[in-house]
Amino acid sequence: MRFSAREMLPCSAASRKRLAALASGEKLFHAYIFEGDRNTDKPGAAEVFAKAVHCAGPGEKPCDLCLSCAKANHGNHEDIVYLTREGNSIGVKQIEDLQMRLRGKPFASERIVAIVDEAERMTPQSQNKLLKTLEEPCGGNIVILLTSNAESLLKTIRSRCVSVRLEAAPGALSGASVTLADDFVERLFAGGAYYELSRIVGVAAERDDAEDFLNALELRLRDALVAASGGARRAESLRFIDCANEARRGLGGGLNVRYALKTMILKMLS
Ligand SMILES: [Zn+2]
C-alpha cells in the first residue's frame, strides 16, 4: 500500500536530481536515511529514488515511460514496499513482517526497495529488530528510512545508513513560483484564454523554474480539489492535476520547457 497523501512541500528540483543520480549510479547501498524538514515530501522523494532504482528504460532514470515506472507511478510496483506507522508507532511485529518480505525474492526486478515513513516512530525495540537487517542485508535489497530527525534514531542504525539531506523546493512556500501558480489557477478556473495563461507560465522559462512552478501549481490545484464543493469542480481539478503531472513527467524526461508548458495549457483548455 502506498502512503496516504499528506500536506507536504515538494522536494527541490536539485534534491530530486541528486536522488535520481544516486539511484542510477554504479554503487547502490543497502540502507539510506532520507532526512528533511517535517513539511518536506520525503515519501515522494523516496518514490523517485525507488522508481529510478527499478527503471528499465534506457538513458536517464527514472524514464517514466517503462512498465516498471508506470507501476511505481500507480503505487503498485511489486518490489516497492511501504511501511507506515500503525497508531502512534511502528511496532516490532511490523518490522518482522517487513523482514519476512525482504527474505523473499523480488517479484519483478532484481531487488526489493522498502520505504519506512516516519522512521523515528519505530520503538527502540523495533529499531533493534531492524538493526539485524541492516547488519546482514538480504540480497541487493534496499531499506530507506525517512525522518525529520535522524538524531532520534539509534546511533547503531545511523552508522549503518548512508544519509541524504533533502530540502524543500525554494519556491515551495513563498516566492515567484507560488505567485505564478496562484495567478495561473485563478485564471484557469475563471476560464482564462490561452494567451493569458501562456503569458503567466512564460516567466518560468528555465527548466528548474518550470519544475518548481509545476510543483507549486499542483499544490494549488490540490487545495482547489479539497475546497471543491461540487462534483464538476472536483472533476475539473483532478483533470488539471493530471495535466500538470504529465507536464512534469515530460520535463523530467527531457521535453523542451516551452513545449511541455504549452501542451499542458492546451490540454487543460480542451
Ligand atoms: Zn523507467
Side-chain angles (χ1 to χ4, degrees):
M1 187 196 71
R2 204 175 193 176
F3 302 121
S4 57
R6 274 180 280 150
E7 283 298 311
M8 285 202 207
L9 302 171
C11 280
S12 65
S15 288
R16 279 182 281 120
K17 269 179 202 152
R18 196 159 66 226
L19 288 180
L22 208 58
S24 47
E26 282 189 3
K27 175 121 182 72
L28 282 169
F29 293 89
H30 66 274
Y32 295 86
I33 292 174
F34 289 178
E35 186 185 17
D37 294 341
R38 197 169 49 86
N39 295 323
T40 306
D41 181 16
K42 296 174 287 294
E47 286 190 344
V48 170
F49 182 87
K51 190 162 69 168
V53 164
H54 287 311
C55 175
E60 211 170 300
K61 294 172 193 297
C63 72
D64 268 316
L65 294 170
C66 70
L67 178 63
S68 172
C69 283
K71 284 195 283 191
N73 282 337
H74 286 97
N76 58 11
H77 195 295
E78 301 92 327
D79 298 322
I80 301 178
V81 179
Y82 302 92
L83 183 64
T84 182
R85 68 186 154 102
E86 286 173 1
N88 277 327
S89 59
I90 297 174
V92 170
K93 174 75 171 64
Q94 287 184 272
I95 299 295
E96 284 171 349
D97 288 347
L98 175 67
Q99 287 172 322
M100 187 127 62
R101 175 74 181 89
L102 290 174
R103 279 195 295 271
K105 288 223 178 321
F107 293 115
S109 50
E110 287 174 30
R111 63 188 91 240
I112 300 167
V113 180
I115 305 171
V116 181
D117 194 19
E118 299 180 290
E120 70 274 10
R121 300 276 190 160
M122 284 188 287
T123 61
Q125 293 86 336
S126 303
Q127 294 193 43
N128 275 316
K129 191 94 206 166
L130 181 67
L131 196 56
K132 296 265 187 318
T133 299
L134 304 185
E135 283 167 352
E136 298 157 25
C138 326
N141 296 341
I142 297 173
V143 175
I144 304 171
L145 305 177
L146 309 181
T147 182
S148 46
N149 181 16
E151 291 294 313
S152 62
L153 297 172
L154 293 179
K155 209 171 162 190
T156 41
I157 295 255
R158 277 184 278 142
S159 69
R160 301 204 169 265
C161 298
V162 171
S163 278
V164 182
R165 175 84 206 168
L166 303 174
E167 310 92 29
L173 253 187
S174 59
S177 50
V178 168
T179 313
L180 286 182
D182 283 342
D183 206 350
F184 187 90
V185 168
E186 194 181 318
R187 279 168 201 264
L188 184 62
F189 281 112
Y194 172 80
Y195 73 90
E196 289 182 79
L197 297 170
S198 79
R199 197 171 53 212
I200 297 172
V201 303
V203 179
E206 297 296 325
R207 187 166 294 270
D208 284 0
D209 290 343
E211 285 181 6
D212 287 343
F213 165 74
L214 289 173
N215 284 329
L217 178 62
E218 198 187 330
L219 281 181
R220 283 299 175 267
L221 288 170
R222 289 197 183 280
D223 288 344
L225 179 64
V226 172
S229 48
R233 180 71 171 232
R234 238 188 102 73
E236 203 176 25
S237 305
L238 278 172
R239 195 173 68 78
F240 292 154
I241 290 171
D242 277 347
C243 294
N245 262 325
E246 199 184 323
R248 187 168 52 189
R249 284 201 295 275
L251 279 187
L255 213 60
N256 173 283
V257 174
R258 286 177 69 92
Y259 176 79
L261 294 175
K262 183 180 156 185
T263 309
M264 176 188 77
I265 297 172
L266 287 173
K267 282 194 176 154
M268 284 172 164
L269 295 181
S270 69

